[in-house]
Amino acid sequence: MAPPNDPINSILNVMKTHKEDNFFELSNGELIVKNIPLLFEVPSNVSFSSFSSICQTTTAPLPLFRRAHSTSSNGGFLGFKKDDPSHHLMNSLGKFNDRNFLSIFRFKTWWSTQWVGNSGSDLQMETQWVLLDVPEIKSYVIIIPIIEGKFRSALHPGTNGHVLICAESGSSQVKASSFGAIAYVHVSDNPYILMKEAYTSLRVYLNTFKLLEEKSVPSLVDKFGWCTWDAFYLTVEPAGVWHGVKELSQGGVSPRFLIIDDGWQSINFDHQEPHEDAKNLVLGGTQMTARLHRLDEGEKFRKYKGGALLGPNPPLFDLNKPKMLISKAIEIEHAEKARDKAVQSGVTDLSLFEVKIEKLKKELDEMFCGNQDNSLQTMCKDGEELEYYSEDSGMKAFTMDLRTHFKGLDDIYVWHALCGAWGGVRPGTTHLNSKIIACELSQGLDGTMDDLAVIKIVEGGIGLVHPDQADDFYDSMHSYLSEVGITGVKVDVIHTLEYVSEEYGGRVELGKKYYDGLSKSLAKNFNGTGLISSMQQCNDFFFLGTKQISIGRVGDDFWFQDPNGDPNGVYWLQGVHMIHCAYNSMWMGQIIQPDWDMFQSDHVCAKFHAGSRAICGGPVYVSDSLGGHDFDLLTKLVYPDGTIPKCQYFAHPTRDCIFKNPLFDGKTILKIWNFNKYGGVIGAFNCQGAGWDPKEKRIKGYSNCYKPMKGSVHVNDIEWDQLIAASEMGNAEEYVVYLNQAEELFLTKSTSDTIPITLEPSTFEIFSFVPIKQLNHIAKFGPIGLTNMFNSGGAIQGVQYGDGANYVSAKVEVKGGGNFLAYTNVLPNKCYLNGTEVEFEWSSQDGKLIINLPWIEENNGISNVNFIF
């Protein structure tokens, strides 16, 4: 409790002297907001409590407490009571029909996405929140299932429009029958303010997580990077990583961070010798029943010999090697699927299938043997591996060599699963007390999509380190990694904990111990920021695991093709990815920096992805295969020094897209807004052509929607008031608009008509809106930025306006090389570039003012352009 003279008590005492008014009321079976019935047929066992009546004390920072209580009348908590205690309780919260909603639900254990409808029965299982449109009062209401005690909750569809809440502990030994605050409701006239206020209130009340504004983010958020996954899968090894970084650097886009993804660890299977690495793994899925048998790097990296790649004649490396191994592994996978299909068809003689599979596996093993290169390995004279650690071998030597040769490589991250490996830690192989736990899936996951990862993890169980050792577990791994030059980790497969919580007090209690251990290790070993969370898109993680973690994935994996075999999936899956990211950012962005994931620059839809990454407000990274780069595309995203022209905020869907279906309604274009320092930006993307099928419980193609779409854009689509630094720009009298793809420039006002657009499937347009400055009674000026970058306005670092006795000036600081574009209605007298007068182009027809800028390395790419009028 807070002490009597605590400022929190003072606030509460003042509030107690006034009768509290709350916009919500539960009366006669109706949940009412501002006199408008929202939910009908609310059961009598459901309760409503105001925010201030429930949240009476907290250790949250005082400014957050004050902010939460300043909007306390906007929100409150729903609870319910049952007669009999249980570990899994379901209860109606009431029903609604004919009211548009936006929701986020889990379509896999790990991943969430957007869903819209107009009835409680339209909700999907495992809904993380639902946003209701209440046009009668020009407002929006959100219902967020939360955590209470040892229970977490989610929303489910009921019959006849009912909204069900499911409260579950994850352990049959942990039961309850009564909840006073198992869901939170909040109202606002602005959907973006609503998200901020609601999650601020929950942060103060729960006090188990922190908002993004309270945390530092890793430095990689405004840099370019490369991830090894799609280039190598599990065949990743030092020489391949080296060549990947080298190719990008030589192509003019030097990676500033590297993620060595799955495949670097010491893993094996239960049937193998306990201290030997599994050999010749290639495709994702084959490793999912394997477990860690030691906490350092696997043999491929342990054998690395320091300096092997630094000399004038480094060992030769076959750039086609990874692709050949992957191709052969895919042949095996197809052969195994053909065998399994034959079994399902009733075929009993499988000998021909088995012979083919064994032949292909033998060929794969021979390819691995034929590609071994001992010149990179630390060996004794008799050919036996040296078992020692020093700066001359292993991961430490490799990271030192990378940094020695690639001077701008700031960060090297490695991948690991939350439980160590996909299958956890193998019992008896480390100092940790691990135990193989059989997996149990909650009933809510019955509504999710079939998933190879889930099948494999359930098949093998998880070697779970006892939660009392979570601190030791993560510190043992991370302290070693930090010592050998690793600056961060990508932690994947996070939501497996809910599968194995039966013996450990339930999923909330197990989660608390694991996330606490992970957070402590992050603070100690990786500067408090060096962790990207992934496969984590569930409220357990966000409410329990984000006190320290400040960045995470907001979309499913980048799929370059449909794993279920639809040949058109190579196209429609890309729009699906953008929808995941855009709508998940609305809530996740309150707590973590949204990460839109990697993509491949030579993919058929790479430009489509690049356009979204350019304005998403997060890091930009690719998973290009060796030799598989589109440098013309990448240089529109990345500066030569590996930094990026990043937006100032994280991207949101525009207000007119919130209750729409930009995937398969056949009419809606996805629009996302963001800010640059000196303007706003809207990206319009035709994502139509695929989406969730509730009956089939999978994401599939809707080919009838994969067609050109018409839409419109307006300067008022940008929510200028959502960032203090941008709010003044929203009051401009006039704007110059630049269309990056069409290369068009024109003027608009907040009172102007909308700008019509037509987009082909899997294409986009980026609109830069820049306030126009009236320099004198005649001259107007508006700096657009670099037209050769997708986010043109992100290149502008500073703008200064001046005047003299006989002139006015506009001085613009720009990062990057290429064509700088500005608007002016009059011909400038002179132009100076870094103090030297230079020529420029100006068009009286549309006001385009153009000057070509060099990339000056010694100035960190910064140019100062001064126009004199």
Side-chain angles (χ1 to χ4, degrees):
M1 293 292 292
N5 59 348
D6 188 271
I8 289 176
N9 271 334
S10 300
I11 295 170
L12 291 171
N13 289 332
V14 170
M15 294 179 66
K16 288 175 182 176
T17 62
H18 303 279
K19 183 180 183 297
E20 182 188 1
D21 292 321
N22 195 284
F23 293 134
F24 288 95
E25 178 186 2
L26 182 57
S27 176
N28 299 319
E30 294 180 345
L31 180 65
I32 300 167
V33 58
K34 296 184 178 180
N35 299 318
I36 299 297
L38 190 70
L39 297 178
F40 299 87
E41 296 183 16
V42 179
S44 60
N45 70 333
V46 172
S47 62
F48 172 80
S49 302
S50 67
F51 175 82
S52 56
S53 70
I54 293 288
C55 184
Q56 300 238 334
T57 185
T58 182
T59 58
L62 184 59
L64 286 179
F65 183 83
R66 284 175 171 156
R67 195 197 310 169
H69 274 274
S70 71
T71 61
S72 60
S73 60
N74 293 51
F77 296 92
L78 297 174
F80 69 89
K81 293 182 179 180
K82 292 278 195 180
D83 293 333
D84 300 316
S86 175
H87 68 284
H88 184 274
L89 303 99
M90 194 81 75
N91 203 87
S92 173
L93 296 178
K95 74 177 208 178
F96 72 89
N97 289 296
D98 301 318
R99 186 173 296 285
N100 290 335
F101 74 77
L102 165 68
S103 66
I104 293 290
F105 77 99
R106 281 204 288 172
F107 68 96
K108 291 185 180 180
T109 295
W110 344 94
W111 306 121
S112 296
T113 195
Q114 170 253 32
W115 187 250
V116 294
N118 58 23
S119 163
S121 297
D122 292 337
L123 291 169
Q124 299 300 294
M125 296 175 75
E126 275 296 311
T127 289
Q128 307 294 289
W129 53 262
V130 58
L131 179 69
L132 300 169
D133 188 17
V134 194
E136 304 97 311
I137 52 174
K138 298 180 180 179
S139 294
Y140 308 83
V141 171
I142 193 168
I143 305 174
I144 308 174
I146 61 173
I147 286 170
E148 183 174 356
K150 297 183 178 182
F151 282 70
R152 59 81 64 173
S153 62
L155 300 178
H156 291 234
T159 57
N160 300 317
H162 274 270
V163 179
L164 305 181
I165 189 163
C166 173
E168 57 187 335
S169 70
S171 172
S172 61
Q173 303 168 41
V174 179
K175 299 180 180 181
S177 61
S178 176
F179 302 94
I182 196 64
Y184 181 70
V185 294
H186 199 93
V187 62
S188 174
D189 61 2
N190 183 306
Y192 310 101
I193 290 175
L194 174 66
M195 286 292 177
K196 289 180 180 179
E197 291 181 349
Y199 281 94
T200 297
S201 296
L202 289 176
R203 184 266 181 262
V204 170
Y205 166 63
L206 291 173
N207 204 29
T208 53
F209 69 98
K210 289 185 178 180
L211 300 173
L212 175 60
E213 67 185 70
E214 301 178 76
K215 297 176 285 194
S216 298
V217 295
S219 61
L220 58 75
V221 298
D222 57 1
K223 296 174 183 175
F224 170 68
W226 178 57
C227 177
T228 63
W229 179 242
D230 288 309
F232 304 105
Y233 298 130
L234 302 172
T235 71
V236 63
E237 41 85 21
V241 175
W242 181 278
H243 281 275
V245 177
K246 179 182 177 181
E247 286 182 356
L248 290 166
S249 298
Q250 290 180 339
V253 284
S254 300
R256 297 292 291 270
F257 67 92
L258 164 68
I259 301 174
I260 302 175
D261 214 295
D262 197 0
W264 70 275
Q265 293 175 296
S266 300
I267 63 170
N268 60 28
F269 299 93
D270 292 344
H271 64 271
Q272 292 183 301
E273 289 295 321
H275 298 292
E276 291 184 7
D277 283 359
K279 299 291 193 297
N280 301 354
L281 299 177
V282 181
L283 299 181
T286 57
Q287 86 287 29
M288 290 178 179
T289 56
R291 315 186 201 283
L292 283 184
H293 66 87
R294 51 194 289 171
L295 304 182
D296 58 358
E297 67 268 29
E299 185 179 20
K300 293 181 292 184
F301 285 83
R302 280 202 309 276
K303 284 186 172 183
Y304 178 77
K305 182 170 60 179
L309 292 163
L310 288 176
N313 298 304
L316 296 176
F317 180 78
D318 185 356
L319 299 181
N320 292 316
K321 168 187 170 183
K323 292 179 180 178
M324 291 189 299
L325 292 171
I326 291 169
S327 178
K328 184 59 67 175
I330 290 173
E331 282 189 71
I332 295 171
E333 183 179 70
H334 288 170
E336 290 175 337
K337 286 182 177 179
R339 176 197 60 195
D340 296 342
K341 187 175 181 180
V343 171
Q344 293 173 359
S345 301
V347 176
T348 55
D349 184 3
L350 302 174
S351 57
L352 291 178
F353 293 100
E354 298 296 354
V355 167
K356 181 177 181 180
I357 291 169
E358 287 306 310
K359 177 178 178 291
L360 291 171
K361 286 184 175 180
K362 183 177 179 182
E363 290 172 356
L364 179 65
D365 289 342
E366 290 172 350
M367 290 172 66
F368 270 105
C369 292
N371 279 301
Q372 285 182 353
D373 186 356
N374 291 334
S375 60
L376 296 183
Q377 299 176 2
T378 301
M379 306 290 284
C380 291
K381 290 182 180 179
D382 58 2
E384 294 179 0
E385 180 189 352
L386 282 171
E387 282 289 347
Y388 69 89
Y389 295 96
S390 74
E391 294 185 359
D392 297 326
S393 66
M395 186 67 84
K396 186 166 189 175
F398 183 53
T399 60
M400 287 179 65
D401 286 357
L402 282 169
R403 290 193 171 94
T404 297
H405 190 74
F406 304 105
K407 301 297 184 182
L409 187 60
D410 301 318
D411 286 293
I412 302 173
Y413 282 36
V414 294
W415 176 101
H416 73 75
L418 182 73
C419 293
W422 289 85
V425 177
R426 186 170 176 178
T429 59
T430 71
H431 72 283
L432 299 164
N433 175 21
S434 64
K435 176 183 176 183
I436 297 176
I437 307 294
C439 296
E440 280 189 54
L441 273 60
S442 68
Q443 296 175 35
L445 294 178
D446 290 343
T448 57
M449 186 172 172
D450 286 344
D451 185 358
L452 174 64
V454 175
I455 293 169
K456 287 292 187 179
I457 291 171
V458 170
E459 174 189 325
I462 296 174
L464 188 72
V465 172
H466 195 281
D468 290 344
Q469 285 189 308
D471 290 12
D472 185 12
F473 174 38
Y474 291 120
D475 187 54
S476 295
M477 271 199 300
H478 296 165
S479 61
Y480 170 76
L481 290 171
S482 179
E483 289 172 4
V484 299
I486 300 301
T487 56
V489 286
K490 172 185 172 182
V491 180
D492 219 349
V493 208
I494 284 179
H495 249 273
T496 45
L497 289 182
E498 66 180 271
Y499 295 172
V500 291
S501 58
E502 171 66 26
E503 298 178 27
Y504 300 101
R507 58 196 288 177
V508 171
E509 293 305 303
L510 180 59
K512 283 180 178 178
K513 289 198 171 184
Y514 261 72
Y515 297 139
D516 184 58
L518 186 62
S519 296
K520 288 176 181 175
S521 181
L522 172 58
K524 175 177 179 281
N525 297 300
F526 297 130
N527 198 34
T529 61
L531 191 154
I532 300 172
S533 54
S534 180
M535 298 177 74
Q536 86 297 9
Q537 294 170 7
C538 181
N539 55 8
D540 300 45
F541 170 78
F542 283 94
F543 290 146
L544 297 173
T546 54
K547 275 193 172 181
Q548 189 72 43
I549 295 170
S550 60
I551 185 170
R553 291 268 304 281
V554 290
D556 188 1
D557 291 330
F558 160 73
W559 290 96
F560 64 88
Q561 62 185 15
D562 179 22
N564 296 311
D566 184 344
N568 292 320
V570 68
Y571 299 101
W572 57 250
L573 269 167
Q574 316 318 318
V576 171
H577 183 94
M578 290 183 196
I579 297 300
H580 296 334
C581 294
Y583 288 86
N584 274 325
S585 291
M586 292 180 69
W587 69 296
M588 296 181 189
Q590 310 304 322
I591 302 171
I592 59 171
Q593 165 68 50
D595 169 9
W596 283 47
D597 196 22
M598 55 204 173
F599 68 101
Q600 290 180 303
S601 71
D602 66 345
H603 187 271
V604 65
C605 292
K607 188 177 181 180
F608 193 46
H609 276 282
S612 69
R613 302 310 191 278
I615 61 170
C616 73
V620 173
Y621 57 116
V622 293
S623 55
D624 288 359
S625 300
L626 300 184
H629 316 289
D630 183 340
F631 289 113
D632 289 338
L633 180 74
L634 290 174
T635 52
K636 295 177 181 178
L637 282 170
V638 185
Y639 295 129
D641 66 356
T643 61
I644 58 175
K646 189 175 81 72
C647 285
Q648 301 295 297
Y649 200 41
F650 59 91
H652 292 68
T654 58
R655 199 177 293 214
D656 58 350
C657 288
I658 287 179
F659 299 107
K660 301 293 178 61
N661 177 1
L663 279 175
F664 59 97
D665 69 0
K667 58 185 180 182
T668 302
I669 289 173
L670 171 69
K671 295 186 295 181
I672 56 177
W673 58 266
N674 210 331
F675 305 115
N676 289 312
K677 283 186 178 180
Y678 297 95
V681 60
I682 291 176
F685 299 84
N686 184 351
C687 299
Q688 293 277 337
W692 178 252
D693 186 318
K695 293 181 180 179
E696 297 185 25
K697 297 179 183 178
R698 69 184 182 97
I699 290 173
K700 69 176 189 180
Y702 290 88
S703 58
N704 59 307
C705 297
Y706 195 75
K707 59 185 181 182
M709 293 288 152
K710 294 182 182 294
S712 63
V713 171
H714 196 277
V715 65
N716 293 340
D717 289 338
I718 300 171
E719 304 283 336
W720 298 98
D721 62 348
Q722 293 306 295
L723 198 65
I724 293 175
S727 58
E728 186 177 342
M729 293 190 289
N731 298 322
E733 182 179 336
E734 193 173 27
Y735 300 85
V736 57
V737 190
Y738 179 68
L739 280 62
N740 182 273
Q741 296 299 289
E743 299 182 354
E744 295 178 5
L745 182 147
F746 50 86
L747 303 183
T748 190
K749 295 183 178 181
S750 60
T751 56
S752 298
D753 292 338
T754 59
I755 304 166
I757 53 169
T758 300
L759 295 175
E760 295 296 316
S762 302
T763 66
F764 68 97
E765 182 59 87
I766 295 176
F767 298 77
S768 294
F769 291 87
V770 179
I772 290 177
K773 174 73 172 179
Q774 187 80 45
L775 297 178
N776 56 26
H777 66 286
I778 298 176
K780 298 178 180 180
F781 184 82
I784 301 296
L786 293 177
T787 59
N788 50 290
M789 305 297 283
F790 286 125
N791 183 24
S792 302
I796 299 179
Q797 308 293 298
V799 179
Q800 289 183 329
Y801 297 105
D803 56 75
N806 300 306
Y807 71 91
V808 290
S809 65
K811 185 177 181 180
V812 187
E813 184 181 283
V814 185
K815 180 165 183 175
N819 286 326
F820 171 77
L821 172 68
Y823 164 81
T824 181
N825 61 327
V826 297
L827 176 70
N829 295 330
K830 293 180 181 181
C831 174
Y832 293 91
L833 173 60
N834 298 321
T836 302
E837 186 174 352
V838 294
E839 295 183 353
F840 58 89
E841 298 177 23
W842 179 71
S843 168
S844 59
Q845 184 176 359
D846 55 13
K848 284 185 178 179
L849 176 62
I850 300 172
I851 177 177
N852 187 264
L853 303 182
W855 173 269
I856 304 174
E857 188 68 33
E858 53 267 31
N859 291 347
N860 296 316
I862 300 291
S863 294
N864 287 292
V865 185
N866 195 6
F867 296 100
I868 307 297
F869 296 86

